[in-house]
Coordinates of all heavy atoms in Angstrom, one line a residue:
M1120 N 0.8 -1.2 0.0 CA 0.0 0.0 0.0 C 0.9 1.2 0.0 O 1.8 1.3 0.8 CB -0.9 0.0 1.2 CG -1.9 1.1 1.3 SD -3.2 0.9 0.1 CE -4.1 2.4 0.3
V1121 N 0.6 2.2 -0.9 CA 1.3 3.4 -1.0 C 0.4 4.6 -0.8 O -0.7 4.6 -1.2 CB 2.0 3.5 -2.4 CG1 2.7 4.8 -2.5 CG2 2.9 2.3 -2.6
R1122 N 0.9 5.5 0.0 CA 0.1 6.7 0.3 C 0.9 8.0 0.0 O 2.0 8.1 0.5 CB -0.5 6.7 1.7 CG -1.4 7.9 2.0 CD -2.4 7.7 3.1 NE -3.3 8.8 3.2 CZ -4.4 8.9 2.5 NH1 -4.8 7.9 1.7 NH2 -5.2 10.0 2.5
V1123 N 0.3 8.9 -0.7 CA 0.9 10.2 -1.0 C 0.4 11.2 0.1 O -0.8 11.4 0.2 CB 0.6 10.7 -2.4 CG1 1.3 12.1 -2.6 CG2 1.0 9.7 -3.4
N1124 N 1.4 11.8 0.8 CA 1.0 12.8 1.8 C 1.6 14.1 1.4 O 2.7 14.2 0.9 CB 1.6 12.4 3.2 CG 0.9 11.2 3.7 OD1 -0.3 11.0 3.6 ND2 1.7 10.3 4.4
V1125 N 0.9 15.2 1.7 CA 1.5 16.5 1.5 C 1.3 17.3 2.8 O 0.4 17.1 3.6 CB 0.8 17.3 0.4 CG1 1.1 16.6 -1.0 CG2 -0.7 17.4 0.6
D1126 N 2.3 18.2 3.1 CA 2.3 19.0 4.3 C 2.1 20.4 3.8 O 3.1 21.1 3.3 CB 3.7 18.9 5.0 CG 3.7 19.7 6.3 OD1 2.8 20.5 6.5 OD2 4.7 19.5 7.1
I1127 N 0.9 20.9 3.9 CA 0.6 22.3 3.4 C 1.3 23.3 4.2 O 1.4 24.5 3.8 CB -0.9 22.5 3.3 CG1 -1.6 22.4 4.6 CG2 -1.6 21.6 2.3 CD1 -3.0 22.9 4.6
D1128 N 1.7 23.0 5.4 CA 2.5 24.0 6.2 C 3.9 24.2 5.6 O 4.5 25.3 5.8 CB 2.6 23.5 7.6 CG 1.3 23.6 8.4 OD1 0.4 24.4 8.0 OD2 1.1 22.8 9.3
R1129 N 4.4 23.2 4.8 CA 5.7 23.4 4.2 C 5.5 23.9 2.8 O 6.4 24.5 2.3 CB 6.4 22.0 4.1 CG 6.7 21.4 5.5 CD 7.5 20.2 5.3 NE 8.9 20.5 4.8 CZ 10.0 20.4 5.5 NH1 9.9 20.0 6.8 NH2 11.1 20.7 5.0
C1130 N 4.4 23.7 2.1 CA 4.2 24.0 0.7 C 4.4 25.5 0.6 O 3.8 26.3 1.3 CB 2.8 23.6 0.3 SG 2.4 24.1 -1.4
V1131 N 5.1 25.9 -0.5 CA 5.4 27.3 -0.8 C 4.7 27.7 -2.1 O 4.9 28.8 -2.6 CB 6.9 27.7 -0.8 CG1 7.5 27.5 0.5 CG2 7.6 26.8 -1.9
G1132 N 3.9 26.8 -2.6 CA 3.1 27.1 -3.8 C 3.9 27.2 -5.1 O 3.5 27.9 -6.0
A1133 N 5.0 26.5 -5.2 CA 5.9 26.6 -6.3 C 5.2 25.9 -7.6 O 5.6 26.3 -8.7 CB 7.2 26.0 -6.0
G1134 N 4.4 24.9 -7.3 CA 3.7 24.3 -8.5 C 4.5 23.3 -9.2 O 4.0 22.7 -10.2
Q1135 N 5.7 22.9 -8.8 CA 6.4 21.9 -9.5 C 5.7 20.6 -9.5 O 5.8 19.8 -10.4 CB 7.8 21.8 -8.8 CG 8.7 23.0 -9.0 CD 9.0 23.3 -10.4 OE1 9.2 22.5 -11.2 NE2 8.8 24.6 -10.8
C1136 N 5.0 20.3 -8.4 CA 4.3 19.0 -8.3 C 3.2 18.9 -9.4 O 3.0 17.9 -10.0 CB 3.8 18.8 -6.9 SG 2.7 20.1 -6.4
V1137 N 2.5 20.0 -9.6 CA 1.5 20.0 -10.6 C 2.0 19.9 -12.0 O 1.5 19.2 -12.8 CB 0.6 21.3 -10.5 CG1 -0.5 21.3 -11.5 CG2 0.1 21.4 -9.1
L1138 N 3.1 20.5 -12.2 CA 3.8 20.4 -13.5 C 4.3 19.0 -13.8 O 4.3 18.5 -14.9 CB 5.0 21.4 -13.6 CG 4.6 22.9 -13.6 CD1 5.9 23.7 -13.6 CD2 3.9 23.2 -14.9
T1139 N 4.6 18.3 -12.7 CA 5.2 17.0 -12.8 C 4.1 15.9 -13.0 O 4.2 15.0 -13.8 CB 6.1 16.6 -11.6 OG1 7.1 17.7 -11.5 CG2 6.8 15.3 -11.8
V1140 N 3.0 16.0 -12.2 CA 2.0 15.0 -12.2 C 0.6 15.7 -12.0 O 0.1 15.7 -10.9 CB 2.1 14.0 -11.1 CG1 1.4 12.7 -11.4 CG2 3.5 13.7 -10.7
S1141 N 0.1 16.3 -13.0 CA -1.1 17.0 -12.9 C -2.4 16.1 -12.6 O -3.4 16.6 -12.2 CB -1.4 17.8 -14.2 OG -1.5 17.0 -15.3
D1142 N -2.2 14.8 -12.9 CA -3.3 13.9 -12.5 C -3.5 13.7 -11.0 O -4.5 13.3 -10.5 CB -3.1 12.5 -13.1 CG -3.2 12.5 -14.6 OD1 -3.7 13.5 -15.2 OD2 -2.8 11.6 -15.3
V1143 N -2.4 14.0 -10.3 CA -2.4 13.7 -8.8 C -2.5 15.0 -8.0 O -3.2 15.1 -7.0 CB -1.2 12.9 -8.4 CG1 -1.1 12.7 -6.9 CG2 -1.2 11.5 -9.1
F1144 N -1.7 16.0 -8.4 CA -1.6 17.2 -7.6 C -2.3 18.4 -8.3 O -2.4 18.5 -9.5 CB -0.1 17.6 -7.5 CG 0.7 16.6 -6.7 CD1 1.6 15.8 -7.4 CD2 0.5 16.4 -5.4 CE1 2.4 14.9 -6.7 CE2 1.2 15.4 -4.7 CZ 2.1 14.7 -5.3
D1145 N -2.9 19.3 -7.5 CA -3.4 20.5 -7.9 C -3.1 21.6 -6.9 O -2.5 21.2 -5.8 CB -5.0 20.4 -8.1 CG -5.5 21.5 -9.0 OD1 -4.8 22.4 -9.4 OD2 -6.8 21.4 -9.2
Q1146 N -3.4 22.8 -7.1 CA -3.2 23.9 -6.2 C -4.5 24.6 -5.9 O -5.3 24.8 -6.8 CB -2.2 24.9 -6.7 CG -0.8 24.4 -6.8 CD 0.1 25.3 -7.6 OE1 0.2 25.3 -8.8 NE2 0.9 26.1 -6.8
D1147 N -4.7 24.9 -4.6 CA -6.0 25.6 -4.3 C -5.9 27.1 -4.6 O -4.9 27.5 -5.2 CB -6.3 25.3 -2.8 CG -5.3 26.0 -1.8 OD1 -4.5 26.8 -2.3 OD2 -5.4 25.6 -0.6
D1148 N -6.8 27.8 -4.2 CA -6.9 29.3 -4.6 C -5.7 30.0 -4.0 O -5.3 31.1 -4.5 CB -8.2 29.9 -4.1 CG -9.4 29.4 -4.9 OD1 -9.2 28.8 -6.0 OD2 -10.5 29.5 -4.5
D1149 N -5.1 29.5 -2.9 CA -4.0 30.2 -2.3 C -2.6 29.6 -2.9 O -1.6 30.0 -2.4 CB -4.0 30.0 -0.8 CG -5.2 30.7 -0.2 OD1 -5.5 31.8 -0.6 OD2 -5.8 30.1 0.8
G1150 N -2.8 28.7 -3.8 CA -1.5 28.1 -4.4 C -1.0 26.9 -3.7 O 0.0 26.4 -4.1
L1151 N -1.7 26.5 -2.7 CA -1.2 25.4 -1.9 C -1.6 24.1 -2.5 O -2.7 23.9 -3.0 CB -1.7 25.5 -0.4 CG -1.2 26.8 0.3 CD1 -1.8 26.8 1.7 CD2 0.3 26.9 0.4
V1152 N -0.8 23.1 -2.3 CA -0.9 21.8 -2.9 C -2.2 21.0 -2.4 O -2.5 21.1 -1.2 CB 0.3 20.9 -2.8 CG1 0.6 20.6 -1.3 CG2 0.2 19.7 -3.6
T1153 N -2.9 20.4 -3.3 CA -3.9 19.4 -2.9 C -3.7 18.1 -3.6 O -3.1 18.1 -4.7 CB -5.3 20.0 -3.2 OG1 -5.4 20.2 -4.6 CG2 -5.6 21.3 -2.5
V1154 N -4.1 17.0 -3.0 CA -4.0 15.7 -3.7 C -5.3 15.4 -4.2 O -6.3 15.3 -3.5 CB -3.5 14.6 -2.7 CG1 -3.4 13.3 -3.3 CG2 -2.1 15.0 -2.1
L1155 N -5.4 15.2 -5.6 CA -6.6 14.9 -6.2 C -7.0 13.4 -6.1 O -8.2 13.1 -5.8 CB -6.5 15.2 -7.7 CG -6.2 16.7 -8.1 CD1 -5.9 16.8 -9.6 CD2 -7.4 17.5 -7.6
V1156 N -6.0 12.5 -6.2 CA -6.3 11.1 -6.1 C -5.1 10.4 -5.5 O -4.0 10.9 -5.6 CB -6.6 10.4 -7.5 CG1 -7.9 11.0 -8.1 CG2 -5.4 10.6 -8.4
Q1157 N -5.3 9.3 -4.9 CA -4.2 8.5 -4.4 C -3.8 7.5 -5.6 O -4.6 6.6 -5.9 CB -4.6 7.7 -3.2 CG -4.7 8.5 -1.9 CD -3.3 9.1 -1.5 OE1 -2.3 8.5 -1.7 NE2 -3.3 10.2 -0.8
P1158 N -2.7 7.7 -6.2 CA -2.3 6.8 -7.3 C -2.0 5.4 -6.9 O -1.5 5.2 -5.8 CB -1.1 7.5 -7.9 CG -0.5 8.2 -6.8 CD -1.6 8.6 -5.9
S1159 N -2.2 4.5 -7.9 CA -1.9 3.1 -7.6 C -1.0 2.5 -8.7 O -0.3 1.5 -8.5 CB -3.1 2.2 -7.4 OG -4.0 2.4 -8.5
D1160 N -1.1 3.1 -9.9 CA -0.3 2.4 -11.0 C 1.1 2.9 -10.9 O 1.5 4.0 -10.5 CB -0.9 2.8 -12.4 CG -0.8 4.3 -12.7 OD1 -1.5 5.1 -12.1 OD2 0.1 4.6 -13.5
P1161 N 2.0 1.9 -11.3 CA 3.5 2.2 -11.1 C 4.0 3.4 -11.8 O 4.9 4.1 -11.2 CB 4.1 0.9 -11.6 CG 3.1 -0.2 -11.5 CD 1.8 0.6 -11.7
A1162 N 3.6 3.7 -13.0 CA 4.1 4.8 -13.7 C 3.7 6.1 -13.0 O 4.6 7.0 -12.9 CB 3.5 4.8 -15.1
T1163 N 2.5 6.2 -12.5 CA 2.1 7.5 -11.8 C 2.8 7.6 -10.5 O 3.3 8.7 -10.1 CB 0.6 7.5 -11.6 OG1 -0.1 7.3 -12.8 CG2 0.1 8.8 -11.0
L1164 N 3.0 6.4 -9.8 CA 3.8 6.5 -8.5 C 5.2 6.9 -8.8 O 5.8 7.7 -8.0 CB 3.7 5.1 -7.9 CG 2.4 4.8 -7.2 CD1 2.4 3.3 -6.8 CD2 2.2 5.7 -6.0
D1165 N 5.8 6.5 -9.9 CA 7.2 7.0 -10.2 C 7.2 8.5 -10.4 O 8.1 9.2 -9.9 CB 7.7 6.3 -11.5 CG 8.2 4.8 -11.2 OD1 8.3 4.5 -10.0 OD2 8.4 4.1 -12.2
A1166 N 6.2 9.0 -11.1 CA 6.1 10.4 -11.3 C 5.9 11.2 -10.0 O 6.4 12.2 -9.8 CB 4.9 10.7 -12.3
V1167 N 5.1 10.6 -9.1 CA 4.9 11.2 -7.8 C 6.2 11.3 -7.0 O 6.5 12.3 -6.4 CB 3.8 10.5 -7.0 CG1 3.8 10.9 -5.5 CG2 2.4 10.7 -7.6
R1168 N 7.0 10.2 -7.1 CA 8.3 10.2 -6.4 C 9.2 11.3 -7.0 O 9.9 11.9 -6.3 CB 8.9 8.8 -6.5 CG 8.2 7.7 -5.7 CD 9.0 6.4 -5.7 NE 8.2 5.4 -5.0 CZ 7.4 4.5 -5.6 NH1 7.3 4.5 -6.9 NH2 6.8 3.6 -4.9
E1169 N 9.1 11.5 -8.3 CA 9.9 12.5 -8.9 C 9.4 13.9 -8.4 O 10.2 14.8 -8.2 CB 9.7 12.4 -10.4 CG 10.4 13.6 -11.2 CD 11.9 13.6 -11.1 OE1 12.5 12.5 -10.7 OE2 12.5 14.6 -11.3
A1170 N 8.1 14.1 -8.3 CA 7.5 15.3 -7.8 C 8.0 15.6 -6.4 O 8.3 16.7 -6.0 CB 6.0 15.3 -7.8
A1171 N 8.1 14.5 -5.6 CA 8.6 14.7 -4.2 C 10.1 15.2 -4.2 O 10.5 16.0 -3.4 CB 8.5 13.4 -3.4
V1172 N 10.8 14.7 -5.2 CA 12.2 15.2 -5.3 C 12.3 16.6 -5.8 O 13.2 17.4 -5.2 CB 13.0 14.2 -6.3 CG1 14.4 14.8 -6.6 CG2 13.1 12.8 -5.7
V1173 N 11.5 17.0 -6.7 CA 11.6 18.4 -7.2 C 10.9 19.4 -6.4 O 11.2 20.6 -6.6 CB 11.1 18.5 -8.7 CG1 11.9 17.5 -9.6 CG2 9.6 18.2 -8.8
C1174 N 10.1 19.0 -5.5 CA 9.4 20.0 -4.6 C 10.5 20.8 -3.8 O 11.2 20.1 -3.1 CB 8.4 19.3 -3.7 SG 7.8 20.4 -2.4
P1175 N 10.5 22.1 -3.9 CA 11.6 22.8 -3.3 C 11.4 22.9 -1.7 O 12.4 23.2 -1.1 CB 11.4 24.3 -3.9 CG 10.0 24.3 -4.3 CD 9.6 22.9 -4.7
S1176 N 10.3 22.6 -1.2 CA 10.1 22.6 0.2 C 9.9 21.2 0.9 O 9.6 21.2 2.1 CB 8.9 23.5 0.6 OG 7.7 23.0 0.0
M1177 N 10.1 20.2 0.1 CA 10.0 18.8 0.6 C 8.7 18.6 1.3 O 8.7 18.0 2.4 CB 11.2 18.5 1.5 CG 12.6 18.5 0.8 SD 14.0 18.1 1.8 CE 14.1 19.5 2.9
A1178 N 7.6 19.1 0.7 CA 6.3 19.0 1.3 C 5.6 17.7 0.9 O 4.6 17.4 1.5 CB 5.5 20.2 0.8
I1179 N 6.2 16.9 0.0 CA 5.5 15.7 -0.5 C 6.3 14.5 0.0 O 7.5 14.4 -0.1 CB 5.5 15.6 -2.0 CG1 4.8 16.9 -2.6 CG2 4.9 14.3 -2.5 CD1 5.0 17.0 -4.1
T1180 N 5.6 13.6 0.6 CA 6.2 12.3 1.0 C 5.3 11.1 0.5 O 4.1 11.2 0.4 CB 6.3 12.2 2.6 OG1 5.0 12.4 3.1 CG2 7.3 13.2 3.1
V1181 N 6.0 10.1 0.2 CA 5.4 8.9 -0.3 C 5.7 7.8 0.7 O 6.8 7.4 1.0 CB 5.9 8.4 -1.7 CG1 5.2 7.2 -2.2 CG2 5.7 9.6 -2.7
V1182 N 4.6 7.3 1.3 CA 4.7 6.3 2.4 C 4.3 5.0 1.9 O 3.3 4.8 1.3 CB 3.8 6.7 3.6 CG1 3.9 5.6 4.7 CG2 4.1 8.1 4.1
E1183 N 5.2 4.0 2.1 CA 5.0 2.7 1.6 C 5.0 1.7 2.7 O 5.9 1.7 3.6 CB 6.0 2.3 0.5 CG 6.1 3.3 -0.6 CD 7.0 2.8 -1.7 OE1 7.0 1.6 -2.1 OE2 7.7 3.7 -2.2
D1184 N 4.0 0.9 2.8 CA 4.0 -0.1 3.9 C 3.5 -1.5 3.4 O 3.3 -1.6 2.2 CB 3.2 0.3 5.1 CG 1.8 0.7 4.8 OD1 1.3 0.3 3.8 OD2 1.2 1.5 5.6
Ligands
SF4_2532 S1 6.1 21.5 -5.5 FE1 6.0 21.5 -3.3 S2 5.9 23.6 -2.7 FE2 5.3 23.5 -4.9 S3 3.1 23.4 -4.9 FE3 3.9 21.3 -4.9 S4 4.0 20.7 -2.7 FE4 3.8 22.9 -2.8

């Protein structure tokens, strides 16, 4: 099971996550990240992991158990 978590207290609204995986991430009216869906397919999860790397505030974590 994989879960994508975001910490909106860390998010600075850079939007890199949305540019990387627009199917999963969006930004609210204040520019803060929101998670649209919890992805399950491997290709999307790889893209989410890339988004976590490029996020400048390290607001995205991928938890696997
Ligand atoms: S890339 Fe990081 S800082 Fe930018 S909107 Fe996404 S979660 Fe927020």
Side-chain angles (χ1 to χ4, degrees):
M1120 184 71 183
V1121 179
R1122 180 153 189 90
V1123 179
N1124 294 322
V1125 293
D1126 183 348
I1127 60 170
D1128 291 332
R1129 297 184 70 106
C1130 177
V1131 295
Q1135 293 300 316
C1136 55
V1137 180
L1138 292 174
T1139 306
V1140 205
S1141 60
D1142 290 345
V1143 174
F1144 298 110
D1145 199 357
Q1146 290 171 278
D1147 67 14
D1148 291 342
D1149 296 321
L1151 299 178
V1152 66
T1153 61
V1154 177
L1155 299 173
V1156 296
Q1157 288 292 331
S1159 56
D1160 67 285
T1163 305
L1164 283 169
D1165 282 348
V1167 167
R1168 291 187 184 95
E1169 175 66 20
V1172 170
V1173 300
C1174 172
S1176 61
M1177 295 182 290
I1179 301 168
T1180 53
V1181 180
V1182 179
E1183 304 185 43
D1184 53 24

